[in-house]
Amino acid sequence: MLKRIEIRDFAIIDQLGLDLGPGLTTLTGETGAGKSILLDALGLCLGDRTDRSMVPAEAGKSEVHGLFDVADTPRARAWLTEEALDEDDECLIRRVVQSNGRSQAWINGRPVTRHQLEQLGALLMGIHGQHAHQALMRPDTQRRTLDGFAAHPQRLEAVAELARRWRRVSAEIESLSGGSADHHDRIELLRYQLDELDDAAPSAEEMAELEREQRRLAGAGEIITACQQSLEALYDGETSAQSLIATAERELSAHGDVDARIDEVQQLLTTGQVQIDEACQALRQFADQLEMDPERLEAVETRLSRLHDLARKHQIEPEGLAEHAEALRAELDRLTSADERLVTLNAEKEKLFSDYREAAQTLSESRQAAAAALSERVDSLLGELGMAGAALIIAVDPDDQATPSEHGIDRVRFDVRTNPDQRPAPLQKVASGGELSRIGLALEVATADTAELPSLIFDEADTGIGGAVAEVVGRQLRALSAHHQVICITHLPQVAAQGMHQLQVDKRQNESGRTVTDVRPLVGDQRVHEIARMLGGLEITENTLNHAREMLDQAD
């Protein structure tokens, strides 16, 4: 339900904030006062395409906010949750249009695309009239309207589940068979690649060891030279570290009894000699064991080169060759065993298709029965709404060759005949704005108990009617508001009087001489005078006021 709308700098609206409640709200005012501009702003909030001509020349941008209560709107709540845009039981939509035509949109403070806004808008509100935002024109809306009236959710879910299972099995068959004639070629390629990898027998541990050994063998000469030079400096040379420390120790030993600190230094030097001796012994053993081995070096480098070539060929790191081989082996096992699996899957697919066809046919029969009942009910209402002879023809055309779909095998189409001598044609090609709005009203009333949208707006539902028919329209709108929030733009007092709330739209000149629109809620005598104005025009008499009071009293 729409709780509040705020508009700033949109067409001839400077700034406007409206709180709306449940039930029927009527919008009245002089022709050209800007009533339909409110719907344009609301349509913008619900995902309509932008029109930069609606941004006033003196304003840099237009801005519209819509606050909705989604507590009792499960489909909208589910969509918000799925898109990670949910925020308790309220939904705040903000749309900004720049003077250059660019727009931005937010849902609950998070930026969204216009497509997302349009998706959510289709779940929050239906607009009937001469506007682009007309869900009734959409084939999916027509199908959902019929399904809602038919009240067969179990049949719908059965068809949807069978279609999902059929698609999953079809996808697995496609995967196993390769989707083309290259299934056998893929098996042969995998076998060749595995033979090559198994012959190389790579492992991550071997790679690390080979690289260490290669570095050691390649640098053996430099390492031996470094060992010899180090031994010369530490022990073997005439001025080695060991001999220098020994000399220092002898010089200090004669003075150790003079100061204890000299004795401490002497002990440290002794420890240093011991450590140098141990280091030189270990270094000598390492150098003795190290030898030049060109043949082994060549073998190691050849092995490394082969592994790196394989890794480049498979576009992976050398350390991953063993893991890659296992992945190829698993794929080969799956493909070579696919023939048996394919036999099972094809049998399952055939059975699912048969079950789907049966369930879809049952759903189609239910739709056809509901279509006849809904058409009859709508036709009766259209007669009451001043469209005698008009008829809604709901076509349910099953396609026995259609690929399984979650919605079944039917193409649902709403055709209309506005006069008995006309041929039925699609809704949008036949009905005028006022006719379309009344057809929408008849459908909403006929499906009030099952319709999904929480809020409905009717524009020009009273075009071309008056008198008793206008009163019927008003009563039907009021009856509809027991199930939905209903907002109706009207020029007829019979319709306006049926509203639980009434808003008046006025046009005036502001301080700068610019024409602007204001909207204000009417209460008490204000509402009586507005109904009287609609009844009597410029001259409002006491009789007109009494008539207005009587109409309001009768409506209440």
Side-chain angles (χ1 to χ4, degrees):
M1 182 184 78
L2 177 62
K3 294 177 65 177
R4 182 171 176 80
I5 182 170
E6 294 183 1
I7 306 169
R8 181 175 299 170
D9 295 325
F10 184 80
I12 60 173
I13 298 176
D14 268 355
Q15 188 165 348
L16 174 65
L18 283 178
D19 292 312
L20 296 112
L24 172 61
T25 298
T26 57
L27 274 75
T28 62
E30 296 286 356
T31 301
K35 297 185 293 297
S36 293
I37 293 176
L38 283 172
L39 290 196
D40 291 334
L42 189 55
L44 186 70
C45 194
L46 297 176
D48 282 354
R49 294 188 179 276
T50 59
D51 180 357
R52 64 180 180 180
S53 67
M54 303 302 283
V55 182
E58 64 275 8
K61 63 182 179 180
S62 298
E63 189 165 345
V64 183
H65 293 212
L67 179 63
F68 294 83
D69 184 344
V70 294
D72 298 322
T73 314
R75 291 181 64 236
R77 287 176 65 93
W79 186 91
L80 287 166
T81 300
E82 184 178 342
E83 298 289 324
L85 296 168
D86 51 316
E87 192 76 30
D88 298 326
D89 292 335
E90 289 191 340
C91 174
L92 177 62
I93 298 176
R94 179 185 173 213
R95 187 89 182 270
V96 174
V97 181
Q98 307 292 339
S99 57
N100 60 8
R102 294 183 179 179
S103 73
Q104 298 165 286
W106 295 263
I107 297 176
N108 287 329
R110 279 154 277 189
V112 295
T113 64
R114 189 189 72 84
H115 178 63
Q116 286 177 298
L117 211 58
E118 190 176 32
Q119 286 181 314
L120 178 60
L123 303 176
L124 292 175
M125 182 168 283
I127 299 180
H128 299 277
Q130 293 179 332
H131 295 271
H133 194 81
Q134 297 177 17
L136 190 57
M137 300 293 192
R138 300 183 182 126
D140 59 332
T141 300
Q142 295 176 359
R143 186 191 66 247
R144 285 203 308 270
T145 299
L146 178 60
D147 285 335
F149 179 78
H152 48 206
Q154 293 85 0
R155 291 188 176 96
L156 283 169
E157 181 53 35
V159 168
E161 177 59 24
L162 286 168
R164 288 191 289 266
R165 289 171 58 190
W166 183 89
R167 282 203 306 271
R168 285 197 296 267
V169 170
S170 299
E172 187 174 355
I173 291 173
E174 181 83 5
S175 174
L176 289 176
S177 62
S180 63
D182 65 356
H183 178 67
H184 178 72
D185 293 342
R186 179 61 179 168
I187 290 177
E188 291 303 312
L189 175 61
L190 287 171
R191 284 175 175 160
Y192 171 78
Q193 290 176 327
L194 278 170
D195 286 345
E196 191 176 41
L197 287 167
D198 289 342
D199 181 60
S203 69
E205 296 78 8
E206 182 195 15
M207 281 296 303
E209 179 58 35
L210 283 171
E211 288 175 347
R212 283 193 296 270
E213 186 177 3
Q214 190 273 340
R215 289 194 299 271
R216 186 172 65 251
L217 290 169
E222 294 180 1
I223 295 172
I224 290 173
T225 299
C227 289
Q228 291 171 346
Q229 291 175 348
S230 298
L231 286 170
E232 181 75 14
L234 291 172
Y235 198 88
D236 294 340
E238 293 182 1
T239 58
S240 66
Q242 194 275 342
S243 64
L244 292 174
I245 293 173
T247 300
E249 183 185 10
R250 286 194 302 272
E251 291 292 333
L252 292 173
S253 63
H255 308 286
D257 55 351
V258 175
D259 193 318
R261 287 176 292 180
I262 293 179
D263 186 55
E264 292 176 3
V265 172
Q266 184 182 5
Q267 292 178 7
L268 290 172
L269 291 172
T270 301
T271 302
Q273 276 190 300
V274 172
Q275 292 178 337
I276 288 176
D277 287 343
E278 291 177 354
C280 289
Q281 184 178 357
L283 189 59
R284 205 180 302 279
Q285 289 175 350
F286 173 75
D288 290 343
Q289 293 172 358
L290 191 65
E291 60 182 10
M292 305 287 287
D293 191 347
E295 292 182 359
R296 176 58 184 166
L297 176 61
E298 182 180 0
V300 168
E301 289 182 339
T302 300
R303 173 67 172 167
L304 280 172
S305 177
R306 183 182 181 190
L307 294 180
H308 278 281
D309 288 344
L310 270 176
R312 280 193 297 272
K313 185 176 182 179
H314 291 272
Q315 298 181 347
I316 58 174
E317 294 297 324
E319 294 79 4
L321 282 169
E323 184 178 351
H324 181 62
E326 292 308 310
L328 295 181
R329 201 180 318 280
E331 183 183 356
L332 179 61
D333 291 342
R334 182 173 63 85
L335 291 177
T336 52
S337 63
D339 289 342
E340 296 179 8
R341 177 64 177 156
L342 281 171
V343 171
T344 303
L345 287 173
N346 280 313
E348 183 180 357
K349 180 181 178 181
E350 185 176 345
K351 177 66 166 56
L352 284 171
F353 186 77
S354 175
D355 292 345
Y356 170 84
R357 299 296 309 171
E358 183 178 346
Q361 184 60 40
T362 301
L363 175 62
S364 182
E365 292 169 359
S366 178
R367 280 173 172 162
Q368 290 172 18
L374 180 56
S375 294
E376 184 178 352
R377 186 179 298 187
V378 170
D379 292 350
S380 175
L381 288 166
L382 288 175
E384 296 179 29
L385 295 173
M387 294 180 65
L392 177 70
I393 299 94
I394 302 177
V396 180
D397 300 323
D399 180 2
D400 294 336
Q401 304 304 316
T403 300
S405 157
E406 293 184 19
H407 305 304
I409 58 175
D410 301 314
R411 289 190 298 270
V412 176
R413 186 181 71 255
F414 284 12
D415 290 343
V416 67
R417 184 186 65 232
T418 55
N419 294 295
D421 58 343
Q422 285 183 330
R423 296 180 61 182
L427 199 57
Q428 59 269 37
K429 293 186 178 180
V430 174
S432 66
E435 290 171 334
L436 179 60
S437 193
R438 273 178 278 168
I439 293 169
L441 172 59
L443 267 169
E444 297 293 354
V445 172
T447 61
D449 294 336
T450 58
E452 302 170 334
L453 292 172
S455 300
L456 302 169
I457 292 183
F458 291 89
D459 185 18
E460 300 186 2
D462 50 19
T463 298
I465 63 173
V469 174
E471 188 172 347
V472 171
V473 171
R475 288 179 179 177
Q476 295 288 11
L477 287 168
R478 188 170 180 122
L480 185 60
S481 71
H483 303 276
H484 308 268
Q485 179 191 44
V486 179
I487 301 170
C488 179
I489 294 176
T490 181
H491 296 281
L492 296 179
Q494 297 93 328
V495 176
Q498 293 292 330
M500 294 122 170
H501 320 282
Q502 187 169 344
L503 302 172
Q504 184 180 34
V505 183
D506 288 322
K507 187 164 62 174
R508 63 178 177 84
Q509 302 288 319
N510 65 9
E511 297 80 1
S512 62
R514 178 170 170 259
T515 301
V516 296
T517 288
D518 293 324
V519 181
R520 64 188 180 107
L522 301 180
V523 294
D525 287 342
Q526 294 174 329
R527 192 171 182 197
V528 172
H529 279 81
E530 174 64 2
I531 297 294
R533 180 197 65 78
M534 299 173 75
L535 282 167
L538 294 176
E539 184 178 354
I540 299 176
T541 66
E542 189 60 34
N543 287 336
T544 309
L545 290 170
N546 288 334
H547 189 188
R549 291 189 186 95
E550 183 181 1
M551 292 178 67
L552 289 168
D553 290 341
Q554 287 178 347
D556 289 338

